[in-house]
Amino acid sequence: EYRRQRQMCIRDRGKLIGGSFYMVFTSIHEVMIHSEDSADPRKLKEVLAETVEETTPEEDFLTYYVYHYNAETGQFSYY
C-alpha cells in the first residue's frame, strides 16, 4: 500500500510540474524538485555538493546523487 501511495504522489508531482523532473535531496528532511525543462543536472549536482558541505549536518546527509523522474516511462535514474 505504501509503495502504491508513493508512486501516486510522484506521478502527481509530474503532473503539477508538467512533465519530467529532477529531485535533489539536500538532507534526510528536504528535497528540491526542479522541472526537467528548466534545470541542468550537472549544475544541480554542484549545488547539492555545496549545500551538503556548507549546511547539512553529517547525521542528516542522504546522498550526492541527483534523481531524475521520467514522466513518460514512470522510471527513475540518477546522476
Side-chain angles (χ1 to χ4, degrees):
E1 178 64 24
Y2 172 75
R3 183 181 173 129
R4 189 175 69 78
Q5 290 174 344
R6 186 178 62 201
Q7 289 171 335
M8 287 172 39
C9 179
I10 291 168
R11 276 190 237 123
D12 289 346
R13 294 294 167 260
K15 289 177 186 174
L16 264 171
I17 292 171
S20 300
F21 58 88
Y22 295 101
M23 297 181 358
V24 181
F25 292 90
T26 55
S27 76
I28 60 173
H29 307 288
E30 181 179 61
V31 61
M32 297 185 302
I33 298 176
H34 302 270
S35 170
E36 179 184 71
D37 296 336
S38 63
D40 176 352
R42 293 174 302 235
K43 191 70 170 166
L44 293 176
K45 220 169 156 76
E46 290 175 18
V47 170
L48 173 60
E50 290 171 8
T51 302
V52 167
E53 289 173 18
E54 295 173 8
T55 63
T56 304
E58 188 175 325
E59 64 272 11
D60 291 345
F61 172 74
L62 184 61
T63 184
Y64 281 112
Y65 288 115
V66 171
Y67 291 85
H68 177 258
Y69 176 72
N70 184 317
E72 289 182 23
T73 66
Q75 299 294 310
F76 279 98
S77 58
Y78 58 90
Y79 297 88

